[in-house]
Every structure is written in C-alpha cells, then in structure tokens.
Amino acid sequence: MLHDYPNSILTPRGRPAGASVDSWTESDHALMRTAAGLAWSGAGRTGTNPIVGSVVSRDGRIIATGFHGEKGIAHAEVVALDAAGEAARGATLYASLEPCAHHGRTPPCTDRIIAAGVARVVIPALDPDERVNGRGVALLRAAGIQVDIGCEAGSAILDNLGYYHDRLGLPSLVTIKMALSGDGMVARAPGRRDTVTGEAARTQVHALRALHDAVLVGIETLLADAPRLDCRLLNPAPDRIPVPVVLDSHLRTPAENAWSRAGRPFIVVTVPGPAADRVRAIEARGGRVFTCTPSTHGPDVGAAVAALAAAGLRRILVEGGPRVVASLVATGCWDAAWYYRAPVVFGPGGVPATPAAAPGDVVDRVRVGDDERVRSIGARPLAEIAARVRMAAGNGGPECLPD
C-alpha cells in the first residue's frame, strides 16, 4: 500500500483555509518533486546540513530553481530567489524542507523570502533542528505569507532521514538497499556477480551512499562481488565517502582488498574468538576488527549497528545479500528501505531476494531510468520522529503538532 504523510507526521496546527491534504494540486506535487530532485545535486557536500532543493513558480510554470550545493554557501531558497529576481514577487516558492530562521554560516532564509515578496511557500515538513522546528513557518506567516505544509511529506522525510535522526538524537539510521530482477532475484546464480539495474539507478545509489557514514555488506557479497562501495559516479565528487563494513563470522575477509589497495579504512565485524594472525593482517592493511555478540548466522546485526554508532558511524547503508537483509527485517533493525526492480528476468536458477518486496509502509514508487524504485519507512522510526518533533515544537516552538 502506498502511504502519504501530509498532516499526521510533521504538520503544525494553524494551517490556513484551503491547505488541507485534499487541496494539493497535481502542479503542487510535481513542483515539490522537482524541488526534492534538485536537492540530491548536493548529496555528500552539505556536511551536517540537509539536502534541500527549491523552485520558484507562477501559475504552475517554473521561473527559477536552486539547491544547497555545499556547506557554508547559500541555501536552496536563496539560490532560487536570486535567480528569479523581481519575478519572485507574488510567486510561489517550493522548498523541500522548512526554510531556516536562524543565523548560521549564512543568514536566515526567512529574511530573504520575506524581502523577495513571495506570496506563498509550500514545504513538505518542519525542519527538526531546534533552532527552526516551526519558527520558519511562524515568521513567514507573521509577514503575511501563506505557508502550506505537507506536500510530498513522506518522500521528503525519507530524503533527509539521516538528518532527522541526527537532529532528534536518535541513535542510528539503518537503510536497506536492494537491487532485484523483475522476478525477484538478486543474481542469476549463487556466487555470481550480475549487474541488475541501469546506470541511472546506480548513480542514484552512489548519491545515497554519500549521505551515509558506512556501507555494510556480508562476507558472501564481498567474496563474490569485491565491491568498491564508493561514490565514483558522482560529479562533482562528495567531500567524503562512506566506510566499508563487512559482517564476517570466520574472518575470511582478505587483508589485501579493493579498499586497502585504495588506502581506505574499512571495518570487519566478527564474533568472539577470531584468529589473532588474521586480525593483525587486517589491521596492518588499514582495517579495524569489531567483535560482536554472535547470532544464528553470524554477528548479531543489532550489536553490529550499535558498535558502529559508538564508533561515530551512525548512518549505515546496508547493501548486503538476502541473508543480511533477512536478519535486519526479522529483528526490526532497520529504518528505511530502497528497492530497485529492473525489467529483466533471471529465471528459476537465480538467488531470490529476501524479502522480495520492500518491508514497511511504502512511501513512494518512481521510475529511475528503466527501473522502478520503491521506498518504504518503518513504523517505529516514523513514530519516533513524529513524537520527538511534536515534543520539541510543544516545548519551545511556536506551534504544536496534532496527535
């Protein structure tokens, strides 16, 4: 089932008349999706800031666009308004997150929006940063600007889910990513390395990696694919790349691998009792070995996530095989899932994905090149985000969130 989260998640009370979920037009949805798409142009270069895109529009026609390109420079709304110039007066501004209302590395976006004479602002959700969290909305409304909240909310929250987790003090973010054939397979045969999705989907996954601190795979994926787990398809390159992590009960990870040859640090998560000589060999090539509680099929995934978070790797992207994904889903140790389904058939000899469909509540389905992307979010992280934003807004924000 496809879900939308327009009012129940991050929408404050006091919306103006005509701004209910039923009032969103196809143009609103299309322009917000455009803004959200632009945001990904800054993936991996905004530091601790969110990725944000913005569109200035009049009568459904795009006047100007912008995105937050890197930390310390103008935010998306300011870039779009500067490009629009006087044409912004009386127009509608779409931003994929609530405009900031505080001085940081740059002045408040709310000041620039008010000065531009924008008539209406549309955002999907509140910014969970305690310095914003409804203040941007309140300032714009106090200046006489109509602010409508909730358009494409679920998708926008997913785009910046790591940012929400960071700002709300949630311990870690676990994102599952899987690529599977039209008949639900991840490979044509066990132990084979197969390219499943097209270039557009692969490039998007590299952008997703750039928003995470670590990329985790299982030992079977490492031995079969020798994945690089980098962001090489992004241009310009991100300011950092995630740390590769492998779950490996018997410490079969080669000390000499694609990561050590590239001079990249990597982590091997194993169970108690690894051979000391294997540990020393991995550490000599720039790796670290974490020892975690064992489970039925290797290191306990919950313990592994906790160990990585304690090491400062709080945003974890899982690109492991079916066994790793099944462990995460079975234990509930996941927050979001990105599934890419390609229009190819691998046949009965293939390796089936587990689960074959994205778990949780499906938030959106879109075409990415020739492939279909299905994204979902777990009920637990969604409830935690809603509760914490609601609490913060109630304790210090200008507006409360509905129950």
Side-chain angles (χ1 to χ4, degrees):
M1 181 177 181
L2 189 66
H3 291 264
D4 191 15
Y5 303 99
N7 295 322
S8 60
I9 305 304
L10 301 176
T11 305
R13 288 191 178 117
R15 294 179 67 181
S20 69
V21 62
D22 296 332
S23 73
W24 302 122
T25 65
E26 284 302 314
S27 178
D28 285 331
H29 284 294
L31 291 166
M32 184 58 73
R33 286 193 291 266
T34 298
L38 288 163
W40 283 91
S41 299
R45 301 198 311 281
T46 62
T48 59
N49 289 348
I51 57 169
V52 182
S54 188
V55 171
V56 179
S57 172
R58 188 186 302 275
D59 299 325
R61 180 178 59 85
I62 294 176
I63 297 172
T65 64
F67 64 90
H68 184 35
E70 60 184 82
K71 60 184 178 183
I73 68 172
H75 291 182
E77 302 93 321
V78 173
V79 173
L81 290 170
D82 285 350
E86 278 302 308
R89 193 163 301 277
T92 297
L93 174 72
Y94 294 81
S96 62
L97 190 66
E98 177 184 12
C100 68
H102 63 284
H103 281 273
R105 294 187 181 94
T106 59
C109 289
T110 49
D111 289 357
R112 182 69 180 86
I113 294 169
I114 293 168
V118 167
R120 178 187 180 221
V121 172
V122 181
I123 61 172
L126 300 185
D127 185 334
D129 191 302
E130 61 182 7
R131 297 167 297 180
V132 190
N133 200 9
R135 288 187 65 238
V137 172
L139 287 169
L140 294 174
R141 286 178 175 165
I145 298 173
Q146 177 180 335
V147 182
D148 295 341
I149 310 167
C151 185
E152 299 286 326
S155 298
I157 294 166
L158 255 178
D159 285 348
N160 274 308
L161 197 56
Y163 173 74
Y164 275 91
H165 276 238
D166 289 348
R167 290 297 187 268
L168 297 174
L170 296 171
S172 59
L173 167 71
V174 178
T175 304
I176 296 170
K177 172 264 167 182
M178 287 197 82
L180 54 156
S181 64
D183 55 348
M185 305 293 176
V186 298
R188 296 183 184 275
R192 256 188 75 153
R193 178 179 183 177
D194 290 294
T195 298
V196 182
T197 55
E199 184 177 355
R202 292 196 298 273
T203 301
Q204 191 173 93
V205 169
H206 282 221
L208 181 62
R209 288 176 183 171
L211 295 186
H212 287 78
D213 303 318
V215 182
L216 183 149
V217 298
I219 183 60
E220 300 302 334
T221 296
L222 172 63
L223 296 178
D225 294 354
R228 291 162 64 177
L229 304 181
D230 57 18
C231 305
R232 62 190 179 278
L233 297 182
L234 300 186
N235 185 21
D239 53 19
R240 65 190 179 105
I241 54 177
V243 176
V245 178
V246 57
L247 298 180
D248 181 4
S249 298
H250 304 292
L251 223 56
R252 291 185 288 160
T253 301
E256 182 75 15
N257 55 54
W259 311 320
S260 62
R261 287 192 293 272
R264 292 174 63 191
F266 62 97
I267 294 173
V268 182
V269 180
T270 189
V271 297
D277 59 335
R278 295 292 304 134
V279 173
R280 286 194 295 270
I282 288 171
E283 291 176 342
R285 296 295 290 140
R288 288 187 287 170
V289 177
F290 290 5
T291 302
C292 291
T293 308
S295 66
T296 305
H297 298 294
D300 179 83
V301 290
V305 167
L308 292 171
L313 305 174
R314 298 177 60 246
R315 303 183 186 189
I316 303 163
L317 178 63
V318 178
E319 296 192 40
R323 182 178 293 180
V324 173
V325 171
S327 297
L328 292 166
V329 174
T331 58
C333 187
W334 68 279
D335 300 290
W338 296 49
Y339 274 48
Y340 292 85
R341 189 179 289 269
V344 296
V345 175
F346 285 174
V351 179
T354 307
D361 285 347
V362 173
V363 172
D364 56 22
R365 298 174 184 268
V366 300
R367 302 301 304 180
V368 181
D370 293 329
D371 307 311
E372 180 188 47
R373 187 195 73 195
V374 181
R375 299 196 301 174
S376 61
I377 188 168
R380 177 186 54 81
L382 200 60
E384 284 191 89
I385 288 172
R388 293 189 185 221
V389 173
R390 194 175 291 122
M391 182 183 301
N395 288 343
E399 297 173 305
C400 295
L401 290 152
D403 294 329

